[in-house]
């Protein structure tokens, strides 16, 4: 997950103007909740082509949560950060219906991050940082229900109606357009086992509101309790759990990319060694073959191309670019050691 600035793209046409489809839809819901009747309005504007187009441009065709390309596998799920019709953690909540057509509340999501499914995840050790010793894969993992759907756990006072202030809520899920995910989660890359796991960042939690009334289910409450005990980001821990950021299929896709990066690193280092071996002898440069000088130049150019390819893979429009950035930082450290 990487931070995204929403105002880098214009608001969708369906949500622009005083009499736009979004405004008309909101008024229908206001009338319904003022005087409930049999004809319940439906949410439609958020699925419009102009919304999908702008979300696709804003997130480069990637899931807002896991950075997977969704176009090659399934149509995008236009996801409501605050769920529009129900809240899993509060059966009495009608959903944040007044935000159902709000551009600021919409995100693109892949199916697995958005829809609840049983997913295989690894068992993590203390501090949620690495795989259990001796259990180096998913064969000793567990099945958990992940996917956001209508989940929205909060601390503080939950907004129950349009007039309520959402500022009284402390959301436990990350929104890449509101939060800087790097403050709450990071990638732990194990090169000996070639696996990348999303892990929570340390977080003091001194600004957290009162825990009571957040309505978390048992599974989420367990990760909240563990995060508080270990001094880790609540938003990070809960987001990893709800979005399923360490689910088997996702980890496998990231590992394929890691293999490519490891190959590029080995290639860049080998090219550098070969170029160094062909450089002129500083003691007796006259012994240098002119052809070797040309080969050295070509090898240096080839190494530059390999390094540029690594940088390209870390661009925002590329899949799992945040993980690639973390890998590149490790590569830089290895060069210095």
């Amino acid at each position: 997950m990487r931070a995204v600035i929403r105002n880098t793209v214009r608001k969708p046409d369906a949500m622009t103007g005083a009499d736009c489809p979004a405004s008309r839809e909101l008024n229908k819901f206001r009338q319904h909740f003022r005087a409930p009747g049999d004809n319940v309005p439906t949410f439609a504007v958020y699925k419009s082509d102009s919304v999908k187009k702008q979300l696709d441009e804003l997130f480069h065709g990637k899931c807002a949560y896991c950075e997977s390309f969704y176009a090659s596998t399934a149509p995008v799920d236009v996801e409501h950060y605050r769920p529009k019709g129900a809240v899993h953690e509060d059966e009495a909540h009608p959903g944040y219906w007044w935000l159902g057509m709000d551009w600021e509340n919409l995100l693109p999501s892949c199916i697995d991050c958005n829809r609840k499914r049983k997913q295989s995840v690894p068992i993590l050790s203390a501090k949620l940082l690495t795989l259990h010793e001796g259990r180096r894969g998913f064969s000793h993992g567990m099945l958990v229900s992940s996917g956001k759907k209508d989940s929205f756990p909060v601390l503080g006072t939950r907004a129950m109606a349009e007039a309520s202030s959402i500022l009284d809520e402390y959301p436990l899920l990350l929104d890449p357009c509101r939060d800087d995910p790097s403050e709450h989660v990071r990638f732990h890359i194990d090169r000996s086992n070639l696996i990348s796991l999303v892990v929570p960042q340390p977080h003091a939690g001194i600004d957290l509101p009162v825990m009571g009334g957040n309505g978390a289910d048992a599974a989420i409450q367990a990760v909240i309790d563990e995060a508080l005990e270990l001094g880790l980001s609540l938003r990070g821990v809960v987001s990893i759990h709800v979005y399923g950021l360490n689910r088997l299929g996702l980890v496998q896709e990231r590992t394929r990319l890691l293999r490519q990066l490891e190959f590029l690193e080995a290639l860049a280092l080998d090219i550098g060694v070969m170029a160094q071996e062909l450089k002129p002898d500083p003691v007796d440069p006259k012994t240098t073959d002119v052809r070797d000088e040309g080969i050295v130049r070509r090898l240096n150019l080839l190494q530059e191309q390999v390094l540029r390819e690594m940088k390209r893979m870390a661009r925002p429009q590329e899949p799992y670019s945040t993980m690639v950035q973390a890998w590149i930082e490790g590569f830089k450290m290895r060069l210095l050691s």
Side-chain angles (χ1 to χ4, degrees):
M1 190 185 301
R2 66 180 302 133
V4 172
I5 301 173
R6 189 177 287 270
N7 63 12
T8 55
V9 303
R10 62 180 177 80
K11 207 171 184 179
D13 294 341
M15 298 175 172
T16 304
D19 191 38
C20 65
S23 296
R24 294 196 296 270
E25 185 172 274
L26 176 58
N27 286 331
K28 289 180 183 178
F29 275 92
R30 283 172 175 161
Q31 293 170 13
H32 170 73
F33 279 93
R34 277 197 295 262
D38 294 333
N39 296 323
V40 181
T42 58
F43 296 97
V45 173
Y46 79 95
K47 295 183 287 187
S48 67
D49 289 340
S50 68
V51 171
K52 292 177 181 177
K53 178 177 179 296
Q54 296 307 93
L55 286 176
D56 191 73
E57 180 179 343
L58 182 60
F59 284 88
H60 307 289
K62 298 191 298 182
C63 173
Y65 302 128
C66 73
E67 284 199 89
S68 297
F69 280 134
Y70 47 76
S72 60
T73 56
V76 62
D77 276 355
V78 178
E79 209 279 298
H80 290 78
Y81 175 63
R82 283 179 166 84
K84 63 187 183 302
V87 176
H88 174 72
E89 292 78 16
D90 187 348
E91 292 183 358
H93 199 285
Y96 298 81
W97 55 267
W98 61 97
L99 299 176
M101 61 299 295
D102 188 331
W103 169 239
E104 302 288 331
N105 193 47
L106 301 179
L107 296 165
S109 176
C110 69
I111 287 175
D112 281 334
C113 281
N114 187 39
R115 304 184 192 182
K116 290 233 181 264
R117 297 173 58 183
K118 287 287 185 181
Q119 300 282 0
S120 177
V121 299
I123 298 174
L124 299 180
S125 66
K127 296 188 179 180
L128 310 176
L129 296 182
T130 56
L131 293 174
H132 265 307
E133 207 60 41
R135 297 186 174 188
R136 310 292 292 178
F138 284 77
S139 58
H140 293 87
M142 56 184 176
L143 284 175
V144 299
S145 178
S146 70
K148 183 175 179 292
K149 197 179 179 182
D150 53 10
S151 281
F152 197 70
V154 301
L155 304 183
T157 304
R158 188 184 294 280
M160 299 295 292
E162 186 177 9
S164 307
S165 176
I166 61 174
L167 297 179
D168 294 330
E169 298 179 340
Y170 183 88
L172 292 177
L173 292 175
L174 292 170
D175 175 355
C177 290
R178 290 179 170 88
D179 305 304
D180 181 357
S182 67
E183 295 178 0
H184 300 275
V185 295
R186 66 178 179 85
F187 274 97
H188 171 78
I189 299 174
D190 184 350
R191 295 182 69 229
S192 64
N193 194 41
L194 207 55
I195 192 172
S196 67
L197 299 173
V198 183
V199 297
Q201 292 275 36
H203 193 281
I206 56 175
D207 60 339
L208 297 177
V210 178
M211 284 286 296
N214 70 84
D217 59 25
I220 293 179
Q221 190 62 55
V223 297
I224 288 174
D225 293 342
E226 186 172 15
L228 288 172
E229 179 184 352
L230 298 172
L232 301 173
S233 165
L234 291 190
R235 282 179 171 169
V237 169
V238 175
S239 295
I240 292 168
H241 174 82
V242 172
Y243 299 142
L245 297 182
N246 288 323
R247 59 185 182 266
L248 174 58
L250 182 56
V251 171
Q252 288 173 328
E253 284 301 308
R254 295 198 300 247
T255 298
R256 290 187 183 96
L257 201 58
L258 283 177
R259 290 196 187 102
Q260 185 177 350
L261 288 165
E262 290 287 320
F263 169 76
L264 291 174
E265 175 176 341
L267 184 61
L269 294 178
D270 284 346
I271 291 171
V273 170
M274 287 188 289
Q276 189 65 34
E277 291 175 347
L278 289 171
K279 278 187 176 179
D281 186 342
V283 178
D284 187 9
K286 294 181 180 179
T287 61
T288 303
D289 193 318
V290 176
R291 290 175 301 176
D292 289 349
E293 294 180 359
I295 293 172
V296 168
R297 285 195 296 270
R298 291 171 65 183
L299 286 172
N300 287 334
L301 288 173
L302 181 58
Q303 188 181 53
E304 288 177 10
Q305 288 180 329
V306 172
L307 296 176
R308 280 199 298 270
E309 176 63 12
M310 292 180 185
K311 292 180 181 179
R312 183 197 66 77
M313 293 167 68
R315 295 187 303 178
Q317 56 265 47
E318 298 301 322
Y320 317 122
S321 59
T322 310
M323 181 199 71
V324 175
Q325 287 176 335
W327 184 91
I328 288 176
E329 289 305 312
F331 174 56
K332 291 177 180 177
M333 295 298 294
R334 291 190 289 277
L335 290 177
L336 295 173
S337 62

Short mmCIF file of all heavy atoms in Angstrom, two decimals, residues 110-141:
data_model
loop_
_atom_site.label_atom_id
_atom_site.label_comp_id
_atom_site.label_asym_id
_atom_site.label_seq_id
_atom_site.Cartn_x
_atom_site.Cartn_y
_atom_site.Cartn_z
N CYS A 110 -9.18 -4.87 -5.53
CA CYS A 110 -9.28 -6.19 -6.13
C CYS A 110 -10.31 -7.01 -5.35
O CYS A 110 -10.72 -6.62 -4.25
CB CYS A 110 -7.93 -6.90 -6.13
SG CYS A 110 -7.33 -7.38 -4.50
N ILE A 111 -10.75 -8.10 -5.91
CA ILE A 111 -11.79 -8.92 -5.29
C ILE A 111 -11.35 -9.44 -3.93
O ILE A 111 -12.11 -9.41 -2.96
CB ILE A 111 -12.18 -10.08 -6.23
CG1 ILE A 111 -13.00 -9.54 -7.40
CG2 ILE A 111 -12.97 -11.15 -5.48
CD1 ILE A 111 -13.33 -10.59 -8.43
N ASP A 112 -10.10 -9.90 -3.83
CA ASP A 112 -9.67 -10.53 -2.58
C ASP A 112 -9.51 -9.54 -1.43
O ASP A 112 -9.69 -9.91 -0.27
CB ASP A 112 -8.36 -11.29 -2.79
CG ASP A 112 -8.58 -12.63 -3.47
OD1 ASP A 112 -9.67 -13.19 -3.32
OD2 ASP A 112 -7.66 -13.12 -4.14
N CYS A 113 -9.17 -8.31 -1.71
CA CYS A 113 -9.08 -7.31 -0.64
C CYS A 113 -10.47 -6.84 -0.21
O CYS A 113 -10.65 -6.43 0.94
CB CYS A 113 -8.26 -6.11 -1.09
SG CYS A 113 -6.46 -6.36 -1.03
N ASN A 114 -11.44 -6.91 -1.13
CA ASN A 114 -12.75 -6.33 -0.84
C ASN A 114 -13.79 -7.35 -0.38
O ASN A 114 -14.64 -7.03 0.44
CB ASN A 114 -13.27 -5.59 -2.07
CG ASN A 114 -14.56 -4.83 -1.79
OD1 ASN A 114 -14.70 -4.23 -0.73
ND2 ASN A 114 -15.48 -4.86 -2.73
N ARG A 115 -13.75 -8.57 -0.90
CA ARG A 115 -14.81 -9.53 -0.60
C ARG A 115 -14.33 -10.55 0.42
O ARG A 115 -13.21 -11.05 0.34
CB ARG A 115 -15.25 -10.24 -1.88
CG ARG A 115 -15.70 -9.25 -2.96
CD ARG A 115 -16.23 -9.96 -4.18
NE ARG A 115 -16.40 -9.04 -5.31
CZ ARG A 115 -16.87 -9.37 -6.48
NH1 ARG A 115 -17.25 -10.63 -6.71
NH2 ARG A 115 -16.99 -8.47 -7.45
N LYS A 116 -15.19 -10.85 1.37
CA LYS A 116 -14.81 -11.78 2.45
C LYS A 116 -14.66 -13.20 1.90
O LYS A 116 -15.56 -13.73 1.29
CB LYS A 116 -15.84 -11.75 3.56
CG LYS A 116 -15.86 -10.46 4.35
CD LYS A 116 -15.74 -10.75 5.83
CE LYS A 116 -15.78 -9.44 6.62
NZ LYS A 116 -14.45 -8.97 6.92
N ARG A 117 -13.48 -13.78 2.15
CA ARG A 117 -13.20 -15.15 1.74
C ARG A 117 -12.23 -15.76 2.74
O ARG A 117 -11.49 -15.05 3.43
CB ARG A 117 -12.57 -15.18 0.34
CG ARG A 117 -13.44 -14.65 -0.76
CD ARG A 117 -12.70 -14.55 -2.07
NE ARG A 117 -12.14 -15.82 -2.51
CZ ARG A 117 -11.41 -15.98 -3.60
NH1 ARG A 117 -11.12 -14.95 -4.36
NH2 ARG A 117 -10.96 -17.16 -3.94
N LYS A 118 -12.21 -17.09 2.78
CA LYS A 118 -11.22 -17.78 3.59
C LYS A 118 -9.88 -17.75 2.85
O LYS A 118 -9.81 -18.14 1.69
CB LYS A 118 -11.65 -19.23 3.84
CG LYS A 118 -12.80 -19.37 4.83
CD LYS A 118 -12.35 -19.10 6.26
CE LYS A 118 -13.48 -19.38 7.25
NZ LYS A 118 -13.06 -19.08 8.64
N GLN A 119 -8.85 -17.29 3.52
CA GLN A 119 -7.54 -17.19 2.91
C GLN A 119 -6.49 -17.87 3.79
O GLN A 119 -6.57 -17.83 5.02
CB GLN A 119 -7.14 -15.71 2.72
CG GLN A 119 -8.07 -14.91 1.85
CD GLN A 119 -7.86 -15.15 0.37
OE1 GLN A 119 -7.00 -15.91 -0.03
NE2 GLN A 119 -8.65 -14.47 -0.46
N SER A 120 -5.51 -18.47 3.15
CA SER A 120 -4.39 -19.06 3.88
C SER A 120 -3.37 -17.97 4.16
O SER A 120 -2.95 -17.24 3.27
CB SER A 120 -3.75 -20.18 3.05
OG SER A 120 -2.62 -20.71 3.71
N VAL A 121 -2.98 -17.85 5.44
CA VAL A 121 -1.97 -16.87 5.84
C VAL A 121 -0.93 -17.57 6.71
O VAL A 121 -1.23 -18.56 7.36
CB VAL A 121 -2.59 -15.67 6.60
CG1 VAL A 121 -3.59 -14.95 5.74
CG2 VAL A 121 -3.24 -16.14 7.90
N PRO A 122 0.29 -17.04 6.75
CA PRO A 122 1.31 -17.68 7.59
C PRO A 122 1.09 -17.35 9.06
O PRO A 122 0.47 -16.34 9.40
CB PRO A 122 2.61 -17.05 7.09
CG PRO A 122 2.20 -15.70 6.61
CD PRO A 122 0.82 -15.87 6.03
N ILE A 123 1.58 -18.21 9.93
CA ILE A 123 1.56 -17.93 11.36
C ILE A 123 2.80 -17.11 11.67
O ILE A 123 3.92 -17.51 11.36
CB ILE A 123 1.57 -19.24 12.18
CG1 ILE A 123 0.31 -20.05 11.87
CG2 ILE A 123 1.65 -18.93 13.67
CD1 ILE A 123 0.28 -21.41 12.53
N LEU A 124 2.60 -15.95 12.29
CA LEU A 124 3.71 -15.06 12.58
C LEU A 124 4.19 -15.24 14.01
O LEU A 124 3.43 -15.60 14.90
CB LEU A 124 3.30 -13.61 12.34
CG LEU A 124 2.87 -13.26 10.91
CD1 LEU A 124 2.51 -11.80 10.81
CD2 LEU A 124 3.97 -13.59 9.93
N SER A 125 5.47 -14.93 14.22
CA SER A 125 6.05 -15.05 15.55
C SER A 125 5.74 -13.82 16.37
O SER A 125 5.03 -12.91 15.94
CB SER A 125 7.56 -15.23 15.42
OG SER A 125 8.14 -14.06 14.89
N ALA A 126 6.29 -13.77 17.57
CA ALA A 126 6.11 -12.61 18.44
C ALA A 126 6.49 -11.33 17.70
O ALA A 126 7.41 -11.31 16.89
CB ALA A 126 6.98 -12.76 19.69
N LYS A 127 5.77 -10.28 17.97
CA LYS A 127 5.93 -8.97 17.34
C LYS A 127 5.48 -8.97 15.88
O LYS A 127 5.65 -7.97 15.19
CB LYS A 127 7.37 -8.47 17.45
CG LYS A 127 7.82 -8.23 18.89
CD LYS A 127 9.17 -7.56 18.94
CE LYS A 127 9.57 -7.31 20.39
NZ LYS A 127 10.89 -6.66 20.49
N LEU A 128 4.90 -10.07 15.41
CA LEU A 128 4.30 -10.12 14.08
C LEU A 128 5.29 -9.82 12.97
O LEU A 128 4.92 -9.38 11.89
CB LEU A 128 3.13 -9.12 13.98
CG LEU A 128 2.09 -9.17 15.10
CD1 LEU A 128 1.08 -8.05 14.89
CD2 LEU A 128 1.38 -10.50 15.14
N LEU A 129 6.56 -10.07 13.21
CA LEU A 129 7.57 -9.63 12.25
C LEU A 129 8.05 -10.72 11.31
O LEU A 129 8.36 -10.46 10.16
CB LEU A 129 8.78 -9.03 12.99
CG LEU A 129 8.49 -7.76 13.79
CD1 LEU A 129 9.77 -7.26 14.42
CD2 LEU A 129 7.87 -6.69 12.92
N THR A 130 8.18 -11.96 11.78
CA THR A 130 8.73 -13.01 10.92
C THR A 130 7.93 -14.28 11.08
O THR A 130 7.16 -14.44 12.02
CB THR A 130 10.20 -13.30 11.28
OG1 THR A 130 10.28 -13.64 12.67
CG2 THR A 130 11.08 -12.09 11.04
N LEU A 131 8.15 -15.21 10.17
CA LEU A 131 7.51 -16.51 10.28
C LEU A 131 8.05 -17.25 11.49
O LEU A 131 9.20 -17.07 11.89
CB LEU A 131 7.77 -17.34 9.02
CG LEU A 131 7.14 -16.83 7.73
CD1 LEU A 131 7.63 -17.67 6.57
CD2 LEU A 131 5.63 -16.87 7.81
N HIS A 132 7.20 -18.10 12.09
CA HIS A 132 7.66 -18.92 13.20
C HIS A 132 8.90 -19.70 12.82
O HIS A 132 9.02 -20.21 11.71
CB HIS A 132 6.56 -19.91 13.61
CG HIS A 132 5.72 -19.40 14.74
ND1 HIS A 132 6.26 -18.96 15.93
CD2 HIS A 132 4.38 -19.28 14.87
CE1 HIS A 132 5.29 -18.59 16.75
NE2 HIS A 132 4.13 -18.76 16.12
N GLU A 133 9.86 -19.79 13.73
CA GLU A 133 11.07 -20.56 13.49
C GLU A 133 10.70 -22.00 13.15
O GLU A 133 9.89 -22.62 13.81
CB GLU A 133 11.95 -20.54 14.74
CG GLU A 133 13.42 -20.69 14.46
CD GLU A 133 13.98 -19.60 13.56
OE1 GLU A 133 13.61 -18.43 13.72
OE2 GLU A 133 14.77 -19.96 12.68
N GLY A 134 11.26 -22.52 12.07
CA GLY A 134 10.98 -23.89 11.68
C GLY A 134 9.72 -24.04 10.87
O GLY A 134 9.39 -25.12 10.42
N ARG A 135 8.98 -22.93 10.66
CA ARG A 135 7.76 -23.01 9.86
C ARG A 135 7.90 -21.98 8.74
O ARG A 135 7.32 -20.89 8.81
CB ARG A 135 6.54 -22.72 10.73
CG ARG A 135 6.37 -23.78 11.83
CD ARG A 135 5.08 -23.57 12.60
NE ARG A 135 4.87 -24.66 13.54
CZ ARG A 135 3.74 -24.84 14.25
NH1 ARG A 135 2.75 -23.99 14.11
NH2 ARG A 135 3.63 -25.83 15.09
N ARG A 136 8.65 -22.32 7.74
CA ARG A 136 9.10 -21.35 6.77
C ARG A 136 8.16 -21.16 5.60
O ARG A 136 8.55 -20.74 4.54
CB ARG A 136 10.48 -21.76 6.24
CG ARG A 136 11.50 -22.08 7.30
CD ARG A 136 11.92 -20.88 8.10
NE ARG A 136 12.67 -19.94 7.29
CZ ARG A 136 13.12 -18.78 7.77
NH1 ARG A 136 12.87 -18.43 9.00
NH2 ARG A 136 13.80 -17.98 6.99
N GLY A 137 6.92 -21.47 5.74
CA GLY A 137 6.02 -21.28 4.62
C GLY A 137 4.58 -21.33 5.06
O GLY A 137 4.26 -21.13 6.22
N PHE A 138 3.70 -21.60 4.11
CA PHE A 138 2.27 -21.59 4.40
C PHE A 138 1.74 -22.98 4.75
O PHE A 138 0.58 -23.12 5.09
CB PHE A 138 1.51 -21.03 3.20
CG PHE A 138 1.63 -19.54 3.07
CD1 PHE A 138 2.78 -18.96 2.57
CD2 PHE A 138 0.58 -18.72 3.45
CE1 PHE A 138 2.89 -17.59 2.45
CE2 PHE A 138 0.68 -17.34 3.33
CZ PHE A 138 1.84 -16.78 2.83
N SER A 139 2.58 -24.02 4.66
CA SER A 139 2.10 -25.36 4.96
C SER A 139 1.70 -25.48 6.43
O SER A 139 0.89 -26.33 6.79
CB SER A 139 3.18 -26.39 4.63
OG SER A 139 4.37 -26.14 5.35
N HIS A 140 2.28 -24.62 7.29
CA HIS A 140 1.90 -24.61 8.69
C HIS A 140 1.12 -23.34 9.02
O HIS A 140 1.09 -22.91 10.17
CB HIS A 140 3.15 -24.70 9.58
CG HIS A 140 3.87 -26.00 9.47
ND1 HIS A 140 4.83 -26.24 8.51
CD2 HIS A 140 3.75 -27.14 10.19
CE1 HIS A 140 5.30 -27.47 8.66
NE2 HIS A 140 4.67 -28.04 9.66
N GLY A 141 0.51 -22.75 8.02
CA GLY A 141 -0.26 -21.54 8.23
C GLY A 141 -1.66 -21.85 8.73
O GLY A 141 -1.94 -22.94 9.23
#
